Each structure stands twice: as C-alpha cells, then as structure tokens.
Amino acid sequence: MDTNGVAGLGLLGDPTRRAIFELLARRPCTVGELAQQLPITRSAVSQHLRVLKDGGLVVSKAEGTRRIYRLNPDGVTALRAYLDRIWEEALTGFGKAAQAAPVDPEQEDR
C-alpha cells in the first residue's frame, strides 16, 4: 500500500502527540508553553516533539534562548494529500456500489 508522505500519520495515534499537534495547529509554542497546557513534564513534551519532528510533522526555530515549535507545512500537506486520496477512493467506491445496486420498484413509485 502506498503511504508516501504520510510517515507521520502513525505518530498521531498517540494521544499526547496528537494533543501537541493540535496545540501547535493553533499557534507556535515553546516546550514550556506546551507543558503548561498538558498533564506531562517538559521533558516528556520534548521527547514527543522530537518524535513529531523526526516524523516531519513539526519544525523548530531558535529565537534567542527559546526554541519555538510549529507545524511543518510540508508534513501537514503530505498528510492532507494522503487523506484526500483515501477519501476520493472511498467516494469512488461508494458511487460504483450505488450504481450497481438493484433498483427497488417500490422505491421508484414514491
């Protein structure tokens, strides 16, 4: 099965990583800002961010003594393209099934 560009999809199966991903979708944050909003330590946030960064879903930028994390547009685009392709395949399959379904004469009279 082709999963090009969506190596990060499995990373979002972890609820904490998904929460971090969702927080970063709202705005870029530091590790401390993320830790204030989650029931885990700064160290645990850093570990999850490293996994998300390695998976291509998050990027970081140094600003003075702080490191600001944000979603990686390329990673999010790849994820969306994958989901769009799956959705199109599902719609195509539904359309074919609907066209192949026998017509119920009683339904046509209503």
Side-chain angles (χ1 to χ4, degrees):
M1 174 173 274
D2 178 22
T3 58
N4 287 340
V6 292
L9 185 61
L11 300 176
L12 297 178
D14 180 279
T16 301
R17 283 195 289 269
R18 193 168 50 250
I20 291 170
F21 185 84
E22 290 173 8
L23 289 170
L24 292 176
R26 295 180 194 145
R27 67 178 185 89
C29 294
T30 64
V31 170
E33 291 169 334
L34 290 166
Q36 289 175 351
Q37 299 176 70
L38 297 167
I40 58 175
T41 65
R42 290 171 58 115
S43 175
V45 169
S46 292
Q47 290 176 1
H48 285 292
L49 283 169
R50 186 174 18 253
V51 171
L52 290 168
K53 191 173 179 180
D54 290 347
L57 294 179
V58 168
V59 292
S60 66
K61 178 181 176 186
E63 286 188 11
T65 59
R66 304 177 340 151
R67 184 157 288 281
I68 309 296
Y69 291 87
R70 64 179 175 84
L71 295 186
N72 180 353
D74 293 339
V76 174
T77 297
L79 194 59
R80 182 173 178 167
Y82 172 77
L83 293 172
D84 284 348
R85 184 175 56 81
I86 297 300
W87 179 246
E88 286 297 322
E89 290 173 2
L91 286 177
T92 299
F94 178 77
K96 287 178 181 176
Q99 289 176 350
V103 176
D104 182 356
E106 291 184 21
Q107 293 281 332
E108 286 189 343
D109 293 338
R110 293 181 185 178

